[in-house]
Amino acid sequence: MRLHLHKITATLALVLAPLACDGTIGNALSAQPSAGSSSGGVSGGHPDVTSVALHPVPAGLRPLTVSQYQDTISDLLGDVTLPPIEAETGSVAASLSGFSPLLVEQLETAALGAAQQVFDSPARRQALVGCAPSGAADDPCARQFLARFARRAWRRAPTADELNRYGDFVGKTSVATGDALGALGYAVAAVLQSPSFLYRVELGEPAAQGFRYTSQEMAARLSYFLWNSGPDDELLVAGESGGLVTDDGLSSAVHRALLDARAHRGVSRWFADWLELEGLGSLDKDRTALPLMSDTLGAAMKNEIVLFAEDAVFAHPADAHQLFVGRTTFVNAELARLYGVAGVSGTDFSQVTWPDDGPRTGILGWGGILALHAKPKKTFPTSRGKFIRMSLLCQSIPPPPPNVNTMLDFAAPGEVLTARQRLERHRANPSCAACHALTDPLGLALEHFDAIGAYRRDDDGLPIDTTGELDGAPFKDARELGAKVAAHPDAMGCVVRQLFRFASGHVDTDGERVAMDALAAKFESSRYRIADALKEVALSDAFRLATP
């Protein structure tokens, strides 16, 4: 059985059009909130506000991120190969961008391809459907399967009208193609193209405490936060019963979700979202200047961080300060060569410990982070410093002024300059000085690491100066900078805020200041264990309440 799009496009449009124009979806689309943003200049704390009450963001619609789409498809259909999907990958970015026409086309191709892979395999098709459809519009096999499948995919039970439309669709498609199984495969693809699948509908409801997400909506919020995918049957039942708007019911669901193996995937996806690791899949580096670069290095770098995240959260729960000062990581032979670690061979990853007197520590020692914030051939201290300020301390850096020269081409003919010397000349421009003073000293501390994170002793034959200060705290090298970041008053609060941003799909706002402060306090009381922070974010009022 093969799915041929040209045979069924018009019929497919008939079943999708009513869903796209459905009143609930249409109203929710018009109410979709934008992600808020913190202001307050370089300060990592929130600006002063006149009220300490929680003011949640508006309810509305949230598009699935690319990784959420991929993981949900995998949980629904099993192991399928999806084509590359070009879209914003982060939780906040996806909420802001929505679905472009190109992305809709890509998702149509992905849905049809995924359905075909399952329905082309008799064993997989039987495992998914569980019965033999007749192709009739009122076929009980098809109706029961579609009710079950749509409920999982849409995170809610389909209405009678929706089931009728899909039943009619299967009947008409069976007539058009002479293939009842193929017709059901098209219905699966249609379910996966519905706005009810592609968007997480979060409209909320009035409650005694103001306005909250419904129990069913909380099932999806919880599963996408902790599993990066849709709810399983047990979580759907809890949502349908109304139990997820109670403290005990939600706490029990959070406890179960964190014990599930899918929580490892959720944490890995959070780290990838927070640290923008998707860029490691397409590193563009000059292999002449950087001979250790290879087609597989970026993937190895990402896997190193994923393995570290799972270990630090689940296997050996660690104080979050270890993110910045820890010396344990995971490498294969390729990464071991990059780091100068002996005794590692093959493609399998092993846990290793960097030496106490070595140059690396924590996040700032990972090759993947150093490579992401570098140019194809050379280092990029400004980008590395900006990453520390914005991603690790949750501080804001203003964008560069218009028409500014960012090439740092200040060397006279025949003159060789270090990155520090080039940046010092760049800061001679008053319009550039203020922002670069915030970023450059931090990035220059990492100058002993080249554009893929390999250690280097000099910069084009010139000695490297890695000294600087972070908000008044002096450091002499990357190791000391990591310790200063860990001890910075914004660092641990930023870990929690980054977790909340991933969970909620928006940058925390001034109205959520009280909730962020409460989460930071609970994080401190838990001795900065990330597993506890996951639980507290899920149970927080900022995650459960909304504005109509």
Side-chain angles (χ1 to χ4, degrees):
M1 184 274 297
R2 303 286 293 177
L3 301 184
H4 298 289
L5 178 59
H6 69 277
K7 291 185 178 181
I8 201 64
T9 299
T11 311
L12 185 60
L14 292 176
V15 72
L16 287 177
L19 294 173
C21 299
D22 176 83
T24 301
I25 292 290
N27 292 335
L29 279 169
S30 65
Q32 184 179 358
S34 62
S37 61
S38 272
S39 56
V42 70
S43 172
H46 294 268
D48 291 336
V49 292
T50 57
S51 173
V52 295
L54 172 65
H55 296 286
V57 300
L61 295 187
R62 288 182 59 188
L64 296 184
T65 68
V66 171
S67 70
Q68 288 170 350
Y69 178 88
Q70 293 167 334
D71 288 345
T72 308
I73 293 286
S74 177
D75 285 349
L76 290 170
L77 299 179
D79 185 20
V80 295
T81 301
L82 297 175
I85 299 172
E86 301 297 330
E88 296 286 358
T89 58
S91 178
V92 173
S95 293
L96 287 170
S97 63
F99 293 106
S100 67
L102 174 61
L103 179 55
V104 170
E105 290 183 9
Q106 292 176 330
L107 296 177
E108 178 185 39
T109 301
L112 286 161
Q116 178 173 316
Q117 290 172 59
V118 174
F119 277 77
D120 277 353
S121 166
R124 297 182 65 180
R125 182 176 65 230
Q126 176 62 27
L128 178 68
V129 178
C131 57
S134 68
D138 59 351
D139 173 28
C141 168
R143 291 293 183 113
Q144 291 170 11
F145 164 70
L146 287 171
R148 184 175 69 252
F149 183 76
R151 176 174 173 268
R152 283 288 308 278
W154 295 348
R155 287 82 68 179
R156 63 167 177 83
T159 66
D161 181 60
E162 288 168 334
L163 278 179
N164 287 335
R165 288 204 298 267
Y166 276 85
D168 291 344
F169 169 74
V170 171
K172 293 176 181 177
T173 305
S174 295
V175 172
T177 63
D179 182 357
L181 282 170
L184 201 56
Y186 280 115
V188 166
V191 167
L192 300 179
Q193 294 175 66
S194 165
S196 293
F197 174 69
L198 298 175
Y199 285 92
R200 291 164 50 188
V201 181
E202 298 178 343
L203 301 182
E205 64 184 5
Q209 64 269 54
F211 198 79
R212 69 189 181 193
Y213 295 105
T214 70
S215 183
Q216 282 187 282
E217 291 165 356
M218 284 301 300
R221 285 177 69 80
L222 187 63
S223 69
Y224 277 105
F225 170 32
L226 297 179
W227 296 342
N228 206 55
S229 182
D232 62 6
D233 286 329
E234 186 172 345
L235 196 51
L236 281 172
V237 169
E240 292 163 347
S241 72
L244 298 184
V245 293
T246 68
D247 292 344
D248 289 344
L250 184 60
S251 180
S252 176
V254 170
H255 179 73
R256 183 180 75 87
L258 287 173
L259 292 177
D260 192 286
R262 285 167 289 190
H264 291 242
R265 179 179 64 190
V267 165
S268 299
R269 293 297 196 182
W270 166 49
F271 264 72
D273 188 280
W274 171 21
L275 303 177
E276 300 180 2
L277 302 184
E278 295 305 318
L280 291 174
S282 56
L283 282 181
D284 178 20
K285 301 295 179 180
D286 186 322
R287 300 194 184 193
T288 300
L290 305 165
L292 292 178
M293 181 62 195
S294 72
D295 292 340
T296 57
L297 183 61
M301 289 172 167
K302 181 178 179 180
N303 199 39
E304 171 190 14
I305 299 173
V306 165
L307 290 171
F308 174 90
E310 293 180 358
D311 183 74
V313 176
F314 297 108
H316 302 95
D319 180 324
H321 290 86
Q322 293 300 308
L323 294 173
F324 309 103
V325 300
R327 298 192 175 281
T328 298
T329 192
F330 295 81
V331 300
N332 62 2
E334 189 170 30
L335 278 177
R337 284 194 298 273
L338 184 77
Y339 294 155
V341 175
V344 179
S345 60
T347 57
D348 291 340
F349 280 73
S350 303
Q351 189 174 39
V352 299
T353 301
W354 289 325
D356 290 341
D357 59 351
R360 299 181 190 274
T361 181
I363 288 176
L364 299 183
W366 288 336
I369 299 300
L370 296 161
L372 282 172
H373 299 282
K375 295 181 178 180
K377 186 175 181 179
K378 292 184 173 293
T379 62
F380 194 177
T382 300
S383 178
R384 288 174 173 178
K386 182 179 178 182
F387 164 77
I388 294 170
R389 289 281 186 189
M390 298 187 70
S391 296
L392 303 186
L393 298 176
C394 292
Q395 298 176 351
S396 57
I397 303 293
N403 302 318
V404 68
N405 176 16
T406 61
M407 299 305 293
L408 305 183
D409 189 17
F410 298 110
E415 184 181 25
V416 179
L417 299 175
T418 64
R420 181 180 288 272
Q421 291 168 331
R422 290 175 183 271
L423 287 168
E424 285 174 349
R425 295 187 183 183
H426 187 63
R427 289 197 299 273
N429 183 341
S431 64
C432 302
C435 293
H436 280 270
L438 297 171
T439 59
D440 295 356
L442 309 185
L444 289 168
L446 308 176
E447 273 297 280
H448 272 303
F449 303 112
D450 68 15
I452 57 172
Y455 184 81
R456 61 179 189 167
R457 296 187 177 276
D458 56 65
D459 182 1
D460 286 337
L462 299 177
I464 294 173
D465 177 5
T466 57
T467 60
E469 67 173 41
L470 170 60
D471 296 342
F475 55 79
K476 66 180 182 181
D477 55 25
R479 289 170 53 195
E480 288 196 2
L481 174 59
K484 300 302 181 184
V485 171
H488 194 283
D490 291 344
M492 295 298 102
C494 185
V495 173
V496 175
R497 289 169 69 182
Q498 294 288 8
L499 188 57
F500 177 78
R501 291 170 183 180
F502 175 74
S504 66
H506 70 270
V507 176
D508 44 293
T509 65
D510 295 342
E512 293 166 319
R513 172 183 179 176
V514 64
M516 297 304 102
D517 290 345
L519 286 171
K522 290 180 179 179
F523 193 36
E524 180 179 7
S525 67
S526 76
R527 299 184 180 181
Y528 303 107
R529 289 189 295 269
I530 295 175
D532 289 335
L534 290 163
K535 177 185 68 175
E536 294 299 341
V537 167
L539 296 175
S540 69
D541 284 345
F543 188 69
R544 301 166 69 177
L545 302 181
T547 296

